[in-house]
Amino acid sequence: MTVALVEQATARVRASTWLPVLGRPERVFDRTLSGVGLTCATWAFAASLVPSLLPRAGWLQGIVSGVTVAVGYGFGAAAHALWDYLGIPGLRGRVRSIVTTILVGLGLLGAVLNAWRLVGWQNDIRRTFGMEPTSPTIWPVVIVVTVLLAGVLLVLGRSVRLLAQRTVRSLARRLPHRLSLVLGIGLIALLFWGLWTGVIVRGFFAGANAVFAPQDTIGTYSTARPSVPERSGTAESLTRWEDLGRYGRVFVRGGPSVAQLETVNGPGAQQPIRVYAGLQSARTSQGRADLVLAELKRTRAFDRKVLVVATTTGMGFLDRHATNTIEYAWNGDTAIAGVQYSYLPSWISLLADQEAVVDSSRIVFETVRDYWATLPESDRPALYLYGLSLGSKGVEGVLSSVNILNASVDGALMVGPPFVNDLHARLVSGRDDGSTATLPVYEGGRTVRFMDESGSLDQTPGPWGPTRVVYLQHASDPVTYWSTDLAFERPPWLRDSDRGPDVSERMGWFPVVTMWQVLLDMPGAGEVPDGYGHMYSYAANLRAWVAVTDPPNWTPDRERRILDALGDR
């Protein structure tokens, strides 16, 4: 009965010029669609609406749903085609009708229910993050973007299939059918792999470099240049203001003044030292490292109590949440050195500059450390490393270097470690029994400890050695928790016992879908309020620095005064 009804309905719509019909499409723009593919697409659409780590705007939800629907449809259609090709018997008659009705019905029911709950889910996350709620008005945007993107991807997929079919037919004229099938599919796969790795990826990076390099000149002619000799880019400096790069110029003219420090900490403040070398400051990484060392000597940085070798992110960015807080904590008795290694923003550098950041970090650190090690131990600053996001990858490169054993650092702070950090991954996977994936404890916290926005390190009450390393990370930071393993394996940080306080209780795991959702969370990870995602607050950075450096005469009252001065309560 059900089959007859479906056939009658299909026959009625065949006369339509725009409604899709069920069957096996033969052309790229054929309106015939796979029934199994549509069923899988419905399930995929329902799964794409569940919450992820971060709140999503309508257009972003449309992208998530559009790609997920296209992948679900493609998987279903391909599986059905393979089933038929292998000649495997399928369900028939009444059993087929019942199974089809159940699967389609459940898919439609899941899609409708999840669509109904989408706005509520998103607002739950927004309330946690302290953001304004969204409304059902996002749905027109979600639907339009989903349909358009899924349609484009469907056409592209069919185009690839058509190219493969024609390649196989051409080979079959001279070769056995099975051999031509294997060779044809292999050739198409090699073609697209070559295009992706040799043309698309390289072309993208080359084009991005050409687009973003001119942005490095922003602020070149600014009149807000630093005037104190303790900064690079001044008249006394060995590095030219014009060569520091956009974020280098922001860094050297920023930070608290002596008057601001004394307002919070009382008299005796010093002008914090900030030195920097941009990509244009020297032609090689070693040249930039030598220039930074010369700047540190010129500014008498080795006479200070604290010296921080900071690894920048992307275009040379150093986060004021970290640089300002350590200067307040030590009343300006500090020196911070940074070096630019790329013109690309962080989200591209994460893919393109992993080797560059490690090489640059090691060269700069070893250059500075080699001189620092020649100074009397009682008459040299404590030496620390700092890195935010991809910058923490550079810090890890230094910490894992064999040369570090010759003269160890006093500590390191790594904030928002990205998923490419090998050391971080090893520490989390090797965590002590009973500790969580979001706040792991490694070897009792003897050297390395983990903290979140609460700033608490109480989960590791044991002794902390002379070298203190802290990872500051949010459970809601997709830059830290994205992994290709999400495609087929439920991550430990989504278990109820390991789930962080800023991760929605309604976030579940779905094969492939969760990986795609968290991947698309990354572009918006820096657009949420401080304390969530990839945005780390003054308070968290200050508490992390206090734990690593142990400033003298530290009290909760000083912390409060500093955070008041920074506007972070």
Side-chain angles (χ1 to χ4, degrees), residues 110-278:
V112 171
L113 288 177
N114 284 0
W116 177 263
R117 294 184 290 182
L118 172 67
V119 174
W121 283 339
Q122 291 298 310
N123 284 338
D124 282 345
I125 302 175
R126 288 175 174 272
R127 277 192 294 271
T128 300
F129 286 20
M131 300 173 65
E132 292 294 324
T134 187
S135 71
T137 56
I138 66 171
W139 262 113
V141 178
V142 173
I143 294 173
V144 169
V145 175
T146 298
V147 171
L148 289 178
L149 184 55
V152 169
L153 293 175
L154 176 63
V155 169
L156 290 175
R158 287 181 173 181
S159 300
V160 174
R161 186 193 65 183
L162 178 62
L163 178 61
Q165 289 174 341
R166 291 186 175 180
T167 302
V168 170
R169 290 170 186 167
S170 177
L171 292 173
R173 296 171 187 169
R174 301 173 179 82
L175 300 172
H177 174 70
R178 293 182 179 178
L179 179 59
S180 63
L181 182 64
V182 173
L183 290 177
I185 295 176
L187 287 173
I188 296 300
L190 286 174
L191 172 63
F192 279 93
W193 177 255
L195 286 173
W196 175 256
T197 58
V199 178
I200 298 176
V201 173
R202 292 182 183 178
F204 172 75
F205 288 146
N209 197 69
V211 168
F212 289 105
Q215 294 189 18
D216 206 43
T217 62
I218 293 176
T220 301
Y221 303 105
S222 172
T223 57
R225 303 185 184 188
S227 57
V228 292
E230 290 86 357
R231 301 297 171 94
S232 292
T234 59
E236 299 88 348
S237 174
L238 303 174
T239 56
R240 297 196 321 144
W241 169 260
E242 293 78 10
D243 296 336
L244 294 180
R246 174 185 180 183
Y247 289 112
R249 288 185 284 272
V250 171
F251 168 65
V252 298
R253 72 184 179 207
S257 65
V258 171
Q260 290 171 323
L261 291 171
E262 291 186 339
T263 299
V264 173
N265 295 313
Q270 298 186 60
Q271 177 66 53
I273 295 172
R274 293 188 174 193
V275 302
Y276 195 93

Side-chain angles (χ1 to χ4, degrees), residues 34 46 71 138 168 238 306 377 455 495 503:
S34 164
V71 171
I138 66 171
V168 170
L238 303 174
V306 171
E377 188 171 350
R495 293 196 297 253
V503 176

Side-chain angles (χ1 to χ4, degrees), residues 252-381:
V252 298
R253 72 184 179 207
S257 65
V258 171
Q260 290 171 323
L261 291 171
E262 291 186 339
T263 299
V264 173
N265 295 313
Q270 298 186 60
Q271 177 66 53
I273 295 172
R274 293 188 174 193
V275 302
Y276 195 93
L279 275 177
Q280 297 299 319
S281 298
R283 299 182 62 181
T284 64
S285 295
Q286 186 60 60
R288 291 187 285 274
D290 292 339
L291 192 54
V292 161
L293 176 59
E295 280 285 270
L296 289 173
K297 292 178 180 178
R298 177 188 66 80
T299 56
R300 302 182 65 85
F302 295 99
D303 294 335
R304 297 298 175 95
K305 293 292 186 183
V306 171
L307 171 59
V308 178
V309 179
T311 301
T312 64
T313 67
M315 297 175 69
F317 174 74
L318 287 173
D319 187 12
R320 68 180 185 274
H321 292 83
T323 56
N324 289 8
T325 49
I326 193 170
E327 290 170 345
Y328 267 109
W330 283 87
N331 208 22
D333 199 1
T334 58
I336 305 175
V339 173
Q340 181 187 13
Y341 58 84
S342 176
Y343 289 126
L344 300 177
S346 296
W347 64 276
I348 302 179
S349 294
L350 194 62
L351 303 175
D353 291 326
Q354 294 181 36
E355 293 184 5
V357 66
V358 171
D359 292 342
S360 176
S361 298
R362 286 180 176 174
I363 291 171
V364 173
F365 172 76
E366 289 176 1
T367 300
V368 174
R369 193 276 312 273
D370 287 347
Y371 175 79
W372 171 85
T374 65
L375 302 175
E377 188 171 350
S378 60
D379 195 29
R380 66 189 185 194

